[in-house]
Amino acid sequence: MTRPTEHEVLAAVLQIRCGALQVLAWQRARPPDSGRWALPGGLLGDDEDVERSVRRQLAEKVDVREVTHVEQIAVFSRPDRVPGTRRIATAFLGLVPSDADPAVPADTAWHPLAAPPATALEKAAFDHAAIVDDARDRLRAKLSYTNLGFALAPREFTISALRDLYAAALGHPVSATNLQRVLTRRRVLEPTGAMAPPGPAGGRPAALFRFTERTLRVTDAFAVLRPPGEGARTAVP
Amino acid sequence: MTRPTEHEVLAAVLQIRCGALQVLAWQRARPPDSGRWALPGGLLGDDEDVERSVRRQLAEKVDVREVTHVEQIAVFSRPDRVPGTRRIATAFLGLVPSDADPAVPADTAWHPLAAPPATALEKAAFDHAAIVDDARDRLRAKLSYTNLGFALAPREFTISALRDLYAAALGHPVSATNLQRVLTRRRVLEPTGAMAPPGPAGGRPAALFRFTERTLRVTDAFAVLRPPGEGARTAVP
DNA sequence: GCAAAAGTGTTCATTGTACACCCATGA
DNA sequence: TCATGGGTGTACAATGAACACTTTTGC
């Protein structure tokens, strides 16, 4: 009755590299859209759900242990989104910490998501550019009201390193002073006790911090409309 | 290579009825899961994407013009989620204003989402109970930081009527005083100028309000991490 | 000593909550 | 006049932004 349909999973794997938000993509060697960049992914297997599938497919590109967060973004289902057999895609956001440098296949590389003239994205295959846009928007939103930063940052880091990560991901400057205060007040960060040596130009040595948790948690319960009797925002003793 | 797979769309259509959050569902007459409640939906057509499909399928159950908001929730793809041919579902949240009473087929009815002992949901077919839970959670979250209330409320309403809607949707008491102040401060509500007559028990006549917009808008940009120079939360002159 | 980088203290505007109090209507 | 529901005013705590100032290092 309905024509044959395939189901694929696609992942926009993001990482902060060289101070810029970058996405992992491979260059298509064969038509359609040959020469363009495409997101890693592939057909859903018979015995797996989409979450399992995307992790399996990613394992072929990067060491899975490097992927600190995976999250469903949306379904892309326009009938003409790829030529040939109809193919429905479930898109995911994946995150890799900035200190990881996983080995990738020869056709695969990181590409900056330059903000206004998305040069790399102009060459994206099919609707993959839209998927990357959605993934980036999701990351930006969740950085603000969850502890998702843990997925972008190394295990231990200085506040200014973290500030650079946030600034690169959000696309605007971030104040180290306020970032530190806000994240510690929310109990998202904690000091490790250790210090990082100053750089060649001198300066006071920086304290090292870590994320208190490494699983996603909403830290800024949304503003209005909480049950009565909870005082202000986060009921913290 | 991969076994045949179908793709369906399913909608958790929610409405506040009789002061309770209810979901539209129909009773299955045939196996599998015969007798249980199922969400409206059906197979994706060849020439439509999932958004179009869910609106088309809903049109068979309720007047589409009554559905004020439709939004993708997630993909449900466990290989064994339905018996027989593999079927992947894209789940949606749909909202109907509380003053609408659309005609529905004989096998279809509204079912309260009683909070702790989800009696109606115990009888849900397949994984539809989980879909309803996700849809409800999404609604609750978005009520707090967007103007999504417009999709649940009539065109015009009193503040106490709106308070009842929010309380039913959120599952906890809401103060009419603060609800009014917060929503007007965010420019989400505006007075129509008209008044509602008092009830039989007397009391001061209530002012009527409306939502300033009837399309989804984020009204509470998340707390921290905005670009510098924007003052506090919502930069309003 | 001086520049550079890190961190703390303080002030301020805005927000949401809580609660007291005033208004308008029907009986 | 009184109960009932509607609406406003005010005080308070928490939050994030901004910015001045202090601390600690290399040269």
Side-chain angles (χ1 to χ4, degrees), chain A residues 21 33 45 131:
Chain A
L21 187 59
D33 276 7
I131 293 175

Side-chain angles (χ1 to χ4, degrees), chain B residues 158-179:
Chain B
T158 65
I159 294 294
S160 44
L162 188 68
R163 184 237 345 215
D164 293 343
L165 289 185
Y166 273 70
L170 294 171
H172 65 72
V174 173
S175 147
T177 296
N178 294 329
L179 185 68

